[in-house]
Amino acid sequence: IETAAPSMGDLLGADTPSNWGKWGPDDEVGALNYLDASEVLRGVGHIKSGETFTLQIEMGRTESPGDPLWPGREGINRKNILDESSWDGDGAPQFPGGLHYADDTANIFLQGSTQYDALGHVWYDGKLYNGYDARSTVDALEKASVLPIAEKGVVGRGVLIDMARYRGKKYLDKGETFDHNDLEAAAAAQGVTIEPHDILIIRTGWLTYWYELNNPEEFYDGFCEPGLTYSRELVQWFQDKEIPNLVTDTIANEVTTDPESGVALPLHNALMRNLGVVFTEIVWLEELAEACAADNRWSFLYVAAPLKVVSGTGAPVNPVVIR
Ligand code: UVW
């Protein structure tokens, strides 16, 4: 692609903050290493009412507009293999007692719903997270796939920052940006502090926009999601806060094209590849945000584990919040 944008390496610079080697030469879960047993107990300490929320969107909605996806991906293709009609003729399996049952298959983009990204999902200059060779992605991720993240699981104190509410909007606009200073200001307005090792959850209302707009053509026209925008200071803020996991209700967790440089998704590299911050995307936050606003409590226990897909570049997940 002809572009006037600098390369990722030039934008981020050779001295960009990095956690490569911090957790050893074989590490594959990055900043999730911050989530130890004491962080689990810290999260549990923020359960007050026992309300629970599940944060996955529906997978395979048949009504318009279908599922929100990164351009080029397709929604789940689920198909019945066995159902009552299978026993209409003679071909169906016979079991003693006359058991009938339904079975189905699904062809999915592993990143085609609410998902955890593997740390090996993006790279530049031939190197993945922790310095792994990008050739190790060929055919199947040998290093930094979603499997080690799924095996560890993600449990800790979650904090919700409601950027849409802070800006007095139902949802942020196409391409609207915010940064760490805005997050801190929104947190102060909510009366909550973003603490070290918090699982950072940001609401933009963007998924509500997708469903309410109900017009994929308009949604994808000049596709540019709202979100965090790159700066060295923002990357340093993530590094200083030791944020393990960034969770948002957008498809890619950051403004699609950095307005200053024209580079696409620089935070995927600055945060995921270089710091090992794990990304969770397409997360449904509307009921959780309503509940948090109703009693002004914005922190809770967050629990999630993506599916254990060997070599997966990501995997679907249905995170649970208990508050
Ligand atoms: C890309 O990085 C292209 O997609 P995702 O939204 O899954 O991170």
Side-chain angles (χ1 to χ4, degrees):
I1 300 170
E2 279 294 321
T3 168
S7 71
M8 196 68 73
D10 284 345
L11 176 69
L12 304 187
D15 58 346
T16 188
S18 168
N19 283 332
W20 290 8
K22 178 169 182 161
W23 296 287
D26 299 321
D27 178 63
E28 299 180 280
V29 299
L32 292 186
N33 281 291
Y34 293 129
L35 294 179
D36 60 12
S38 69
E39 293 301 332
V40 174
L41 296 178
R42 192 169 71 90
V44 168
H46 289 265
I47 301 176
K48 306 289 176 211
S49 56
E51 295 159 273
T52 59
F53 298 84
T54 60
L55 307 186
Q56 187 181 16
I57 59 162
E58 285 174 31
M59 244 178 137
R61 234 171 104 103
T62 46
E63 313 91 78
S64 178
D67 299 347
L69 297 159
W70 179 259
R73 291 184 184 145
E74 288 168 19
I76 181 172
N77 181 2
R78 197 206 58 79
K79 197 167 114 219
N80 267 16
I81 296 299
L82 283 178
D83 54 34
E84 182 58 12
S85 70
S86 313
W87 277 270
D88 289 348
D90 296 330
Q94 300 300 322
F95 293 92
L99 172 74
H100 288 190
Y101 61 96
D103 239 349
D104 50 5
T105 61
N107 191 2
I108 61 171
F109 269 77
L110 288 170
Q111 298 182 49
S113 179
T114 309
Q115 106 234 202
Y116 267 77
D117 281 352
L119 287 179
H121 161 52
V122 294
W123 60 87
Y124 64 95
D125 289 353
K127 298 265 187 232
L128 314 179
Y129 168 70
N130 222 24
Y132 300 127
D133 190 330
R135 297 299 302 174
S136 67
T137 64
V138 175
D139 292 332
L141 293 196
E142 274 170 32
K143 301 298 286 182
S145 79
V146 79
L147 184 62
I149 291 173
E151 280 169 343
K152 176 169 170 53
V154 182
V155 184
R157 180 203 197 239
V159 62
L160 176 64
I161 304 301
D162 193 337
M163 282 306 302
R165 189 176 301 266
Y166 175 64
R167 291 196 171 161
K169 295 176 168 184
K170 193 168 186 182
Y171 27 77
L172 298 189
D173 298 327
K174 229 174 217 189
E176 183 170 345
T177 60
F178 52 89
D179 65 11
H180 56 298
N181 294 315
D182 299 308
L183 291 177
E184 294 279 20
Q190 292 174 202
V192 71
T193 304
I194 303 170
E195 296 177 2
H197 302 173
D198 275 354
I199 294 161
L200 177 59
I201 304 167
I202 303 172
R203 176 177 174 270
T204 66
W206 192 239
L207 294 181
T208 288
Y209 173 65
W210 162 259
Y211 291 116
E212 279 193 7
L213 179 69
N214 193 11
N215 185 339
E217 205 178 317
E218 189 177 330
F219 183 85
Y220 289 111
D221 183 37
F223 180 73
C224 194
E225 296 195 286
L228 285 168
T229 187
Y230 169 77
S231 69
R232 174 62 67 91
E233 294 71 32
L234 178 132
V235 177
Q236 192 59 52
W237 182 85
F238 270 82
Q239 175 73 319
D240 294 345
K241 288 271 182 199
E242 300 187 335
I243 300 292
N245 186 188
L246 173 64
V247 179
T248 85
D249 62 352
T250 65
I251 299 170
N253 274 8
E254 62 178 303
V255 67
T256 310
T257 308
D258 173 43
E260 285 214 1
S261 64
V263 168
L265 304 184
L267 291 177
H268 271 59
N269 277 299
L271 300 181
M272 191 193 302
R273 172 195 184 264
N274 295 340
L275 295 188
V277 176
V278 170
F279 278 26
T280 314
E281 299 165 327
I282 321 184
V283 171
W284 184 251
L285 297 173
E286 302 306 276
E287 286 82 14
L288 175 63
E290 281 303 314
C292 292
D295 61 6
N296 209 34
R297 284 192 294 119
W298 298 91
S299 57
F300 35 72
L301 179 70
Y302 173 97
V303 181
L307 300 180
K308 293 186 180 179
V309 182
V310 174
S311 298
T313 67
V317 68
N318 184 10
V320 177
V321 159
I322 310 167
R323 67 190 295 277

